[in-house]
């Protein structure tokens, strides 16, 4: 059976070029970068080269601003907890209602430790309410966390503007941006912003799972959450994961070179998928109609049909998609992002995220748009909402 992989916001295939680049660092180039002999110099230099590439990918001023981590969640934890450790008596922190659980659940933990948290809302398009933010930032605000792009809808958030608003009200408030779903899809240019910290994750742009990075603006202080050796400027102890760091450097360079392709071809295919579904399936509606969306993502609600049921049937056709972020799929709770957008209950439980990559082919999209109308009709026939679905039966 053919497989059509449209779940690239959950994770991506490792680019074969990335695999090839990593292999020598498992086999002959395995020296500990902290040792003093030649074999160690090789891995030490490989890390420096990867750090340069990742710094360019962020649009950072210097590779000294980059710390390698194990994933996007670790980058977020390091940024948030590491910042707050040094913020003394300031106990107010702000984020949005639509963040990934790696931020939301960290904030929940911090609430238990006495932090006062505020969550900014979004409108029905998934766009942020920046006026709400303006009213919340005060002299007690230690940190504002905001994502660059939403994992479920692809909506792009104006993090540059957010950082400006925050700094204008309180220049000491730190701003962390979770750019996990923006990296490789839209250009990052962090040096021209007032952002202090930005996190990314390799497996979302064709590097392996298990490697991430955190940008820390020069002069910004955080305390380490993993203590031990002096690695990563003593901010993240532990012998460096050389093959994965090299892989991430390579993937970052490839992703940067492919940004135009993402913005043109991947977007064309995404639009083709969207139009193919919306024009041929009467109960389909687009969640988040904002123009500011990453090029690879669409989130479509199928009214009165259960999303998990659609996913199971898509799976039988070899189509991989998701009903929310990878961490929440598997639960029947409707997505917190769609709830925050006040998505009507009729499609809240029946929303599917399709996310493409530069490896997606036009015939993949055609296969989905050809097979889905019949599938939805079949599911409509067994839905308890026969009256509501009578127009598509
Ligand atoms: N932030 C966002 C927006 C994400 O979509 C994800 C993963 O889906 C993460 C953070 C967590 O990344 P990781 O799986 O590398 O920990």
């Amino acid at each position: 059976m053919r497989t059509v992989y449209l779940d690239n916001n959950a994770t991506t295939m490792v680019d074969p070029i990335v695999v090839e680049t990593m292999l020598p660092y498992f086999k002959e180039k395995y020296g500990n970068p902290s040792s003093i002999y030649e074999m160690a110099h090789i891995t030490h230099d490989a890390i420096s080269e990867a750090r340069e590439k990742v710094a360019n990918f962020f649009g950072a001023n210097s590779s000294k601003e980059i710390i390698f981590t194990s994933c996007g969640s670790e980058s977020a934890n390091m940024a948030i907890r590491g910042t707050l450790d040094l913020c003394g008596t300031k106990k107010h922190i702000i984020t949005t209602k639509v963040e990934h659980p790696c931020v939301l659940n960290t904030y929940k933990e911090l609430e238990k430790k006495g932090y006062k948290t505020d969550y900014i809302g979004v409108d029905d398009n998934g766009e942020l309410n920046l006026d709400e933010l303006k009213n919340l930032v005060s002299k007690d605000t230690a940190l504002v966390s905001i994502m660059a792009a939403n994992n479920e809808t692809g909506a792009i958030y104006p993090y540059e503007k957010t950082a400006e608003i925050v700094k204008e009200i309180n220049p000491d408030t730190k701003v962390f941006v979770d750019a996990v779903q923006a990296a490789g899809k839209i250009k990052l240019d962090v040096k021209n912003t007032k952002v202090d910290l930005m996190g990314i994750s390799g497996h979302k742009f064709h590097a392996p799972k298990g490697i991430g990075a955190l940008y820390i603006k020069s002069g910004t202080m955080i305390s380490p959450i993993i203590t031990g050796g002096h690695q990563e400027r003593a901010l993240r102890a532990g012998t460096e994961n050389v093959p994965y760091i090299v892989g991430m450097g390579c993937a970052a360079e490839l992703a940067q070179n492919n940004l135009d392709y993402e913005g043109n071809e991947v977007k064309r295919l995404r639009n083709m998928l969207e139009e193919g579904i919306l024009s041929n399936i009467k109960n389909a509606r687009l969640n988040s109609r904002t123009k500011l969306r990453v090029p690879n993502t669409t989130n479509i609600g199928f009214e009165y049909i259960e999303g998990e049921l659609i996913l199971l049937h898509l799976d039988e056709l070899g189509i991989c998609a998701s009903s929310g972020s990878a961490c929440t799929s598997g639960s029947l709770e409707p997505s917190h992002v769609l709830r925050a957008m006040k998505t009507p209950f009729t499609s809240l439980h029946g929303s599917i995220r399709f996310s493409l990559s530069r490896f997606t082919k036009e015939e993949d999209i055609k296969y989905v748009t050809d097979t889905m109308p019949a599938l939805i009709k079949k599911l409509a026939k067994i839905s308890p909402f026969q009256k509501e679905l009578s127009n598509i039966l």
Side-chain angles (χ1 to χ4, degrees):
M1 188 178 59
R2 84 184 275 163
T3 300
V4 172
Y5 186 74
L6 295 179
D7 203 15
N8 287 279
N9 285 9
T11 197
T12 58
M13 178 186 99
V14 181
D15 189 314
I17 300 172
V18 172
V19 176
E20 282 306 313
T21 312
M22 290 169 65
L23 285 178
Y25 296 89
F26 289 108
K27 296 195 243 167
E28 62 272 24
K29 300 180 182 176
Y30 53 80
N32 187 322
S34 298
S35 301
I36 56 163
Y37 34 80
E38 179 54 22
M39 201 167 151
H41 292 168
I42 292 173
T43 48
H44 182 272
D45 291 352
I47 292 179
S48 302
E49 199 184 311
R51 206 184 300 281
E52 280 291 339
K53 289 178 180 169
V54 172
N56 282 338
F57 188 49
F58 272 109
N61 268 319
S62 155
S63 63
K64 293 196 182 82
E65 296 175 312
I66 309 303
I67 298 293
F68 288 111
T69 64
S70 67
C71 59
S73 303
E74 186 190 329
S75 299
N77 271 269
M78 187 172 176
I80 296 170
R81 295 176 194 270
T83 297
L84 295 180
D85 261 2
L86 300 180
C87 277
T89 54
K90 285 201 239 158
K91 293 280 176 210
H92 179 224
I93 53 180
I94 302 174
T95 190
T96 79
K97 288 183 181 167
V98 293
E99 295 301 301
H100 185 269
C102 71
V103 170
L104 286 179
N105 288 338
T106 305
Y107 268 52
K108 291 268 169 300
E109 287 300 313
L110 291 163
E111 272 172 21
K112 291 183 204 156
K113 293 187 176 154
Y115 283 87
K116 184 185 168 301
T117 51
D118 276 305
Y119 298 88
I120 311 163
V122 291
D123 67 13
D124 60 359
N125 254 335
E127 285 175 23
L128 269 192
N129 186 341
L130 289 181
D131 287 335
E132 212 179 312
L133 173 71
K134 278 183 199 154
N135 293 331
L136 287 171
V137 180
S138 74
K139 63 176 179 11
D140 289 326
T141 311
L143 176 74
V144 175
S145 299
I146 175 188
M147 59 188 357
N150 187 270
N151 43 309
E152 295 190 33
T153 62
I156 294 173
Y157 295 124
Y159 65 85
E160 305 90 335
K161 182 97 194 292
T162 304
E164 269 167 32
I165 292 173
V166 170
K167 298 285 180 178
E168 204 174 304
I169 303 172
N170 183 349
D172 294 333
T173 302
K174 298 289 178 243
V175 177
F176 165 62
V177 175
D178 173 357
V180 165
Q181 293 291 350
K185 296 167 189 163
I186 52 172
K187 190 170 162 40
L188 301 174
D189 187 17
V190 77
K191 69 170 168 299
N192 288 319
T193 71
K194 296 201 158 77
V195 168
D196 301 287
L197 304 126
M198 181 181 275
I200 61 172
S201 176
H203 74 104
K204 309 289 185 178
F205 56 93
H206 308 289
K209 295 158 197 60
I211 183 75
L214 179 65
Y215 159 87
I216 309 175
K217 194 190 258 328
S218 167
T220 300
M221 303 295 285
I222 67 166
S223 75
I225 55 172
I226 302 177
T227 47
H230 59 275
Q231 294 92 349
E232 300 299 289
R233 293 198 283 122
L235 286 174
R236 203 253 183 188
T239 302
E240 298 89 338
N241 187 348
V242 182
Y244 281 51
I245 289 174
V246 168
M248 192 184 195
C250 175
E253 193 174 43
L254 290 170
Q256 203 163 357
N257 294 340
N258 276 293
L259 279 178
D260 283 346
Y261 185 86
E262 286 279 332
N264 296 314
E265 184 57 10
V266 175
K267 186 176 184 181
R268 184 183 76 80
L269 293 179
R270 190 272 313 271
N271 291 350
M272 185 188 227
L273 172 69
E274 215 163 78
E275 279 153 29
I277 292 178
L278 295 173
S279 56
N280 291 310
I281 304 177
K282 287 205 184 94
N283 69 329
R285 70 185 287 284
L286 184 62
N287 295 319
S288 184
R289 292 168 305 282
T290 173
K291 283 212 166 55
L292 282 176
R293 272 193 298 157
V294 286
N296 80 319
T297 309
T298 185
N299 191 310
I300 299 177
F302 297 89
E303 290 185 307
Y304 300 106
I305 300 184
E306 187 58 64
E308 303 297 315
L309 196 62
I310 301 174
L311 285 183
L312 289 175
H313 282 79
L314 285 176
D315 187 28
E316 280 176 7
L317 294 167
I319 301 168
C320 311
S322 142
S323 62
S325 66
C327 319
T328 50
S329 57
S331 107
L332 287 179
E333 270 291 292
S335 138
H336 69 286
V337 176
L338 298 182
R339 264 183 299 162
M341 287 164 58
K342 302 199 174 49
T343 302
F345 83 95
T346 47
S347 53
L348 191 58
H349 289 269
S351 288
I352 304 293
R353 176 188 72 186
F354 299 96
S355 46
L356 290 66
S357 81
R358 63 175 186 262
F359 293 99
T360 308
K361 302 270 175 293
E362 186 161 330
E363 51 270 28
D364 295 337
I365 300 303
K366 286 211 175 106
Y367 177 64
V368 179
T369 52
D370 285 351
T371 49
M372 270 205 93
L375 167 61
I376 296 299
K377 204 165 184 172
K378 183 170 110 183
L379 298 180
K381 282 194 180 131
I382 54 167
S383 162
F385 297 97
Q386 293 296 300
K387 201 167 113 243
E388 290 81 357
L389 287 168
S390 56
N391 61 336
I392 66 163
L393 287 171

